[in-house]
Amino acid sequence: MTDQPHAPDTSSTRKDFPWWLLAAGAIALFLAIQIAVNDLYSQIFTIVSKGIWITIFVTLVGFGCATLLGLLLAVMGLSGSLVLRQIARFYVEIIRGIPILVLLFYIAFVGAPGFVLGWNALMSPLIEAGLMEEMLVRDVSLLWRAIIALTIGYSAFISEVFRAGILSVDEGQVEAAKALGLGPWHRFRFIVLPQAIRTILPPLGNDFIAMIKDSSLVSVLGVADLTQMGKVYASGSFRFFETYSVVAYVYLLLTVGLSLALRALEKRLRRSEEERSGGPKQ
């Protein structure tokens, strides 16, 4: 008679102690001490930290615009119009197939000059009359070119998140809202979106964390973000190990901190959902 394999202890799995977090906290504490007591690390952190606000600005503005555009694309993709559905699908499939770095270069060095050329052609009567100056390519800042590229790139992924969340809502509730006389906008605002948010929030949070990391790509355009400041200091001092250790440390503080906050929010939402449904699901 063979021995039966022991089933995993689900209670111990649920209460698994986060040793990884303890190890990460120890490394973060060690680097924090180095920054506080070591003059070299302190100098590097002072210089690099000047780019933190650019990183945060690029991430917040880019993600906010990408979320709005992604929601619009999701609504278009689920609309009753064949033309709108095809336009949304074309946009999503094409943009998702282009690497963010390539998209960044394309918007910065092809899209921006093309926009300036079109703007000057449109405004040529006013320019010739002396009522407006001709726009130059350098008038479109590299910072905003980078933000536009991130917005376009991430909107395609976020639209799929919204689409999946909207489709997860029970069709019966939508039909009940129709029976009550609610129009499409009110059905979406009061019935669909509040329920879809519970499904949308976790992947949307993951995309936000991913954008924090991908915001480092703006450094290839010379935008003075966290990565660019570290690159400039390292190339001048040849202190590559110390510089990029500090840069990685700051990014980890931002991403891991947000990841833990999102995890706590997910648990709170799950707990409130269980309380409304009468207890945890078996």
Side-chain angles (χ1 to χ4, degrees):
M1 187 173 179
T2 58
D3 294 334
Q4 296 295 327
H6 293 288
D9 186 354
T10 55
S11 61
S12 63
T13 302
R14 283 195 299 266
K15 298 177 182 178
D16 190 16
F17 186 79
W19 293 105
W20 70 270
L21 183 58
L22 190 63
I27 295 172
L29 180 61
F30 172 76
L31 285 172
I33 293 172
Q34 291 296 314
I35 291 171
V37 302
N38 188 299
D39 289 340
L40 176 60
Y41 278 94
S42 179
Q43 182 184 22
I44 294 171
F45 181 77
T46 300
I47 292 174
V48 166
S49 62
K50 295 176 182 178
I52 292 177
W53 297 114
I54 293 295
T55 293
I56 293 174
F57 178 78
V58 168
T59 303
L60 291 178
V61 175
F63 190 78
C65 294
T67 299
L68 293 175
L69 182 55
L71 178 59
L72 176 62
L73 288 167
V75 172
M76 288 173 60
L78 295 171
S79 71
S81 170
L82 176 63
V83 174
L84 291 179
R85 291 200 306 271
Q86 291 300 313
I87 290 174
R89 181 49 51 190
F90 175 83
Y91 180 97
V92 169
E93 295 300 334
I94 295 299
I95 296 300
R96 285 199 307 175
I98 302 174
I100 295 292
L101 184 59
V102 175
L103 189 60
L104 193 70
F105 283 134
Y106 194 87
I107 295 298
F109 302 119
V110 179
F115 169 77
V116 170
L117 185 65
W119 176 266
N120 287 335
L122 185 65
M123 298 297 169
S124 57
L126 296 177
I127 294 173
E128 291 172 0
L131 300 176
M132 180 183 292
E133 292 185 0
E134 185 179 13
M135 179 181 284
L136 303 176
V137 176
R138 64 170 178 265
D139 294 332
V140 184
S141 72
L142 291 172
L143 175 64
W144 283 103
R145 297 186 209 185
I147 290 173
I148 292 169
L150 288 174
T151 296
I152 293 173
Y154 268 81
S155 64
F157 295 96
I158 291 174
S159 71
E160 291 296 279
V161 172
F162 276 112
R163 189 171 71 90
I166 292 170
L167 289 175
S168 69
V169 177
D170 186 8
E171 186 66 25
Q173 299 194 35
V174 179
E175 294 299 327
K178 285 182 182 179
L180 291 173
L182 292 177
W185 166 245
H186 289 94
R187 290 199 301 269
F188 179 76
R189 180 182 175 186
F190 296 114
I191 305 297
V192 176
L193 191 58
Q195 296 183 71
I197 285 295
R198 291 194 294 271
T199 304
I200 290 168
L201 192 59
L204 201 61
N206 291 336
D207 282 340
F208 182 68
I209 293 172
M211 184 176 276
I212 292 176
K213 294 184 290 184
D214 280 346
S215 69
S216 62
L217 295 175
V218 305
S219 63
V220 301
L221 300 181
V223 177
D225 73 322
L226 184 60
T227 301
Q228 177 67 8
M229 297 303 292
K231 187 194 303 182
V232 170
Y233 183 86
S235 62
S237 65
F238 297 99
R239 294 283 188 174
F240 295 100
F241 173 77
E242 295 88 348
T243 302
Y244 287 113
S245 293
V246 173
V247 171
Y249 169 71
V250 175
Y251 274 115
L252 282 171
L253 284 180
L254 294 172
T255 56
V256 175
L258 277 170
S259 179
L260 293 174
L262 286 169
R263 194 169 301 176
L265 180 59
E266 287 177 36
K267 288 181 179 179
R268 178 176 295 182
L269 290 174
R270 193 179 307 118
R271 197 180 307 119
S272 63
E273 179 66 20
E274 289 172 353
E275 290 173 356
R276 281 196 298 268
S277 61
K281 296 179 182 179
Q282 300 296 327

